Amino acid sequence: MFFEEKRIIQFDEIDSTNNYAKNNARNLPDGTIILAKKQTAGRGRLGRTFISPDSKGLYMSMLIKNRDYDLNLVTVIAAVSVYRGILKICKIKTKIKWVNDIQFEGKKLCGILTEGVFDTETGKINRLVIGIGLNIEKWHEIPEDLRNIITTIEDISGKKISSEKLCLEIVKNIEKLLKKTNSERGKQKILKEYKKNLNVFNKEIVLVSGNVKISGKIKDITETGALIIVDGENNEHIVNSGEIIFQ
Ligand code: BTN
C-alpha cells in the first residue's frame, strides 16, 4: 500500500512536526511524513501559535527534497490537496481562504504552514516542509477566543474520521499535483481548481501584510498564487503574503 512505501515517523507528543522535519531535513528521505498526536509548540503562519490538543486533529509535516517541481505553486497545491482530501474522505465541501486556510462556513478547519529550508552553501531553498494542521474531533476545552473562529470535521459532519485516512489522501494529492507542475497545462489546471474554491472574490477586504494595509477588492490571482487587489482609486497591488480580513 502507498503508506508503506513512505517513511512515516510518528510521535505521541512533539514540539512541532515542522520543526522536526526542518531540523532533520538533511538526513530524512524525500517524501517523509512526520505525524504527532499532540504538539506542544505548534506553529502557524505569521509567527502565530497553532493549538494542537491531544488526538483531536491531524498534525503532519511532509518533507519535499531532491525533485523537480514548481516551488511557486506549493502553497496553492497544499490547499487544493487538503480541499480534495476533505471532500473525498469526509464528503465536506470547504472553501479556501487565501492563501491556504481551509474554511467551512467562514470558520477555520485547517491551517497550512509551508517552510523552505535554505542550503547555506547555495543560498537557495533546496528542501521544503509542508505542515498541515486539521481539526478533526470536537474539543471540549476550546479557548473562548477561538470558539467562533474554528470548527472541526466532527462539528460539521457529526462523525469521527480517521486522521490517517485523511493524511494518506492529502499526501497522495500533494504527490500527484507536484508532478503536474512540470507542464504548463498541469499548472493551469491546478490554479483553476484553486481559484474555483477560493472564497475571496467580489468582497471588500483589507489585506494586512506587516505594517502595510491595502483596502479593496480581489480581482484575480497571479500564475504563482499572489493576490491582485484593486483599491478604491483603481490601483492594482500584487501581494504575496499577509492576511485577508473581510469587511
Ligand atoms: C496556520 O493556520 O497559520 C498554519 C497552521 C499550521 C499548523 C501545522 S500542524 C503541523 C505542522 N507543525 C507545525 O508546527 N505547524 C504545522
Side-chain angles (χ1 to χ4, degrees):
M1 200 178 108
F2 176 82
F3 233 46
E4 283 151 15
E5 292 162 21
K6 292 266 159 205
R7 168 113 189 249
I8 301 171
I9 304 175
Q10 280 178 294
F11 293 93
D12 283 339
E13 181 179 318
I14 196 169
D15 57 347
S16 149
T17 55
N18 264 36
N19 288 354
Y20 185 91
K22 276 170 72 178
N23 294 338
N24 297 284
R26 187 184 285 272
N27 301 319
L28 295 173
D30 173 49
T32 300
I33 296 154
I34 323 295
L35 284 171
K37 286 193 180 146
K38 172 183 178 182
Q39 296 183 116
T40 52
R43 293 185 294 106
R45 289 177 62 239
L46 310 170
R48 295 187 182 131
T49 300
F50 186 83
I51 303 177
S52 324
D54 197 1
S55 306
K56 297 288 183 201
L58 168 64
Y59 315 120
M60 62 168 278
S61 299
M62 180 176 177
L63 175 67
I64 310 290
K65 64 190 241 192
N66 307 332
R67 57 168 108 178
D68 282 334
Y69 63 95
D70 186 341
L71 183 63
N72 289 317
L73 281 180
V74 168
T75 47
V76 166
I77 285 175
V80 172
S81 299
V82 173
Y83 167 87
R84 284 187 183 182
I86 295 173
L87 187 59
K88 177 147 184 208
I89 304 294
C90 315
K91 313 282 180 269
I92 297 171
K93 203 163 168 20
T94 54
K95 282 281 172 196
I96 303 169
K97 182 185 175 206
W98 186 88
V99 55
N100 54 15
D101 271 359
I102 305 294
Q103 296 191 333
F104 182 80
E105 294 180 348
K107 290 186 176 181
K108 180 161 167 166
L109 188 55
C110 173
I112 302 170
L113 175 66
T114 304
E115 299 184 284
V117 185
F118 283 92
D119 183 322
T120 42
E121 275 163 34
T122 62
K124 286 189 184 151
I125 291 180
N126 63 345
R127 300 176 201 119
L128 197 82
V129 175
I130 303 175
I132 297 171
L134 205 163
N135 306 322
I136 295 186
E137 290 189 23
K138 274 187 190 175
W139 328 347
H140 296 291
E141 58 303 322
I142 183 166
E144 187 65 42
D145 55 332
L146 291 183
R147 207 155 283 167
N148 296 316
I149 296 176
I150 67 156
T151 188
T152 67
I153 298 282
E154 190 183 1
D155 279 304
I156 300 166
S157 66
K159 291 185 190 136
K160 291 193 199 303
I161 59 126
S162 140
S163 59
E164 265 193 17
K165 239 185 173 177
L166 204 43
C167 172
L168 169 69
E169 193 56 37
I170 293 169
V171 169
K172 260 197 215 164
N173 290 330
I174 295 175
E175 293 285 5
K176 217 191 301 174
L177 294 177
L178 284 174
K179 282 194 195 125
K180 275 199 172 173
T181 65
N182 291 329
S183 81
E184 209 38 56
R185 194 158 163 260
K187 288 199 234 186
Q188 291 309 326
K189 274 191 158 176
I190 296 167
L191 272 169
K192 194 171 164 201
E193 187 172 347
Y194 177 71
K195 284 206 255 184
K196 190 172 150 214
N197 298 302
L198 273 177
N199 67 352
V200 298
F201 294 114
N202 299 318
K203 291 180 186 159
E204 290 293 338
I205 59 114
V206 176
L207 188 282
V208 184
S209 181
N211 295 329
V212 179
K213 278 190 183 174
I214 304 165
S215 305
K217 276 193 178 176
I218 294 160
K219 180 179 161 192
D220 205 353
I221 301 289
T222 68
E223 302 281 285
T224 59
L227 279 184
I228 306 175
I229 305 174
V230 179
D231 68 19
E233 271 128 44
N234 239 4
N235 299 313
E236 280 191 8
H237 305 259
I238 297 188
V239 189
N240 281 300
S241 69
E243 187 172 26
I244 289 176
I245 299 167
F246 294 115
Q247 293 305 287

